Amino acid sequence: MAHRDPPGIIAPHIPADVYRRAEATGQPVVVIVHTTDHTGRPLGHYLFPLVIAGAAAMGCWGLVAALCALLDTAAHAVTVIAQTTGPIGVGGVTLKLVRPKH
């Protein structure tokens, strides 16, 4: 059987006269430590997956916000281009974005 230290920060106190008597006679000293049996899982088993799921959700919302900002900027750019007077030409291809008012 393997030697196990009692749980806790410090070992239980053994009175000096009991220790000296056991040392002199060779009797073993029996230390009884009462512990509580942990049933169930610790909080860390549940907390870690929740933190990961929360970070993933926040990342998804960040991507949605970035996409909305990008689409908003693109819509404003198209509006500004559409308000220009005259056709837009690139490489010999002209594109008229608005109809004439007449």
Side-chain angles (χ1 to χ4, degrees):
M1 187 167 144
H3 171 73
R4 287 181 34 189
D5 290 331
I9 299 173
I10 60 173
H13 175 69
I14 300 171
D17 59 340
V18 173
Y19 178 77
R20 288 196 183 101
R21 186 177 343 117
E23 189 177 42
T25 62
Q27 278 186 308
V29 176
V30 178
V31 178
I32 299 173
V33 178
H34 297 282
T35 61
T36 58
D37 188 21
H38 295 288
T39 57
R41 302 177 98 182
L43 182 62
H45 284 276
Y46 299 106
L47 193 60
F48 186 72
L50 288 175
V51 167
I52 296 297
M58 293 298 287
C60 288
W61 278 111
L63 286 174
V64 168
L67 181 65
C68 289
L70 182 65
L71 289 175
D72 184 50
T73 304
H76 283 292
V78 167
T79 304
V80 168
I81 291 172
Q83 289 177 354
T84 60
T85 58
I88 296 175
V90 176
V93 177
T94 56
L95 178 65
K96 191 166 188 171
L97 298 176
V98 292
R99 295 182 189 165
K101 293 182 182 178
H102 311 325

